[in-house]
Amino acid sequence: MDNLVNLTLFGLGALVLLLLLVFGIMLIYKTMFKKAATEENSEPIKEAVPEDVTFPYKLNTPILSTKEKMFYKAVKPIADELNLIVFTKVRLADILIVPKDTPNFMKWFNYIKAKHIDFVFVDNDMRIKVLIEVDDKTHNRADRKERDETVDKMFAQLNIEVLHIWSWGTEYGGVDLKETIIKSLNMPTAARGTISAKN
């Protein structure tokens, strides 16, 4: 009888030990997996650049196309009058963030890392007020249309409208820039993204 009790206690002890071992392995695996996921989402390690390196870069000047420069000259006085600051060619990754705990973080970051918005209007507190894309014939390409639709959808979900402007100035049959911007500024938040300034 004592042998049976001892055997039972030994079996229970072995089972408890086995469960603790499995639990420990699972805990170690989870910690390693979480660390690997965090490292994947973190900034890449910066490599030291040799002092004698010759960089291959050239200045991209001017940074705006001819049409974008014309647009900037037309819109800058309007922005000044409305007490707005205009930034050009702003990366989506500077406007949008992917929360660190988002599943598939890199997938969502990859959608925005190489895209930009032509013109971003902010107030004095640097809060985004108006987003404008100056469209040209490249926006008629299938890949560009798909890109525009994706970006528009991103901001529509955040209740921000992306204005697409092909031409401006009523003498050319384009939109009235001041009126279009004011309309966008005054639009109720929930209704943003529902109008287009395309011609």
Side-chain angles (χ1 to χ4, degrees):
M1 184 71 176
D2 286 342
N3 287 341
L4 185 60
V5 170
N6 286 340
L7 191 59
T8 304
L9 288 174
F10 178 80
L12 283 173
L15 182 62
V16 167
L17 254 155
L18 183 63
L19 287 173
L20 284 172
L21 184 62
V22 169
F23 179 77
I25 290 169
M26 287 174 61
L27 192 60
I28 290 167
Y29 178 79
K30 185 176 179 183
T31 304
M32 288 172 60
F33 181 80
K34 188 173 182 181
K35 184 180 178 186
T38 304
E39 287 172 355
E40 181 186 30
N41 295 341
S42 63
E43 290 291 317
I45 297 169
K46 294 185 173 82
E47 295 180 14
V49 178
E51 288 183 25
D52 60 345
V53 70
T54 302
F55 294 105
Y57 312 118
K58 294 189 181 298
L59 281 177
N60 179 25
T61 183
I63 62 169
L64 299 178
S65 69
T66 302
K67 187 171 186 178
E68 289 167 341
K69 280 193 294 182
M70 290 170 58
F71 179 84
Y72 180 79
K73 288 177 181 177
V75 85
K76 180 68 167 64
I78 298 168
D80 291 344
E81 186 182 337
L82 298 173
N83 206 23
L84 297 173
I85 303 162
V86 186
F87 292 109
T88 64
K89 294 193 181 287
V90 182
R91 291 188 321 148
L92 289 191
D94 293 320
I95 303 171
L96 302 171
I97 59 166
V98 185
K100 288 289 183 185
D101 58 350
T102 302
N104 301 313
F105 174 92
M106 287 309 297
K107 172 187 146 184
W108 298 113
F109 181 73
N110 287 339
Y111 274 125
I112 62 173
K113 70 177 183 181
K115 295 180 176 71
H116 72 268
I117 291 285
D118 290 335
F119 294 91
V120 177
F121 295 72
V122 300
D123 63 16
N124 287 321
D125 291 323
M126 296 293 137
R127 290 175 302 204
I128 295 166
K129 293 298 182 181
V130 181
L131 302 175
I132 294 180
E133 284 281 282
V134 177
D135 290 351
D136 56 24
K137 61 185 178 183
T138 64
H139 288 256
N140 292 327
R141 294 191 329 238
D143 63 324
R144 190 64 198 227
K145 283 182 179 178
E146 186 179 330
R147 176 260 182 213
D148 287 347
E149 286 171 11
T150 301
V151 171
D152 291 351
K153 200 177 293 184
M154 288 177 188
F155 285 106
Q157 288 183 4
L158 298 170
N159 296 318
I160 297 176
E161 173 187 19
V162 179
L163 291 170
H164 288 266
I165 296 180
W166 179 271
S167 62
W168 58 92
T170 49
E171 64 269 29
Y172 301 113
V175 298
D176 182 310
L177 282 180
K178 185 175 177 181
E179 182 183 302
T180 301
I181 291 168
I182 289 173
K183 186 175 181 182
S184 183
L185 286 169
N186 292 332
M187 188 175 294
T189 305
R192 288 181 176 236
T194 58
I195 69 161
S196 173
K198 289 182 180 177
N199 292 102

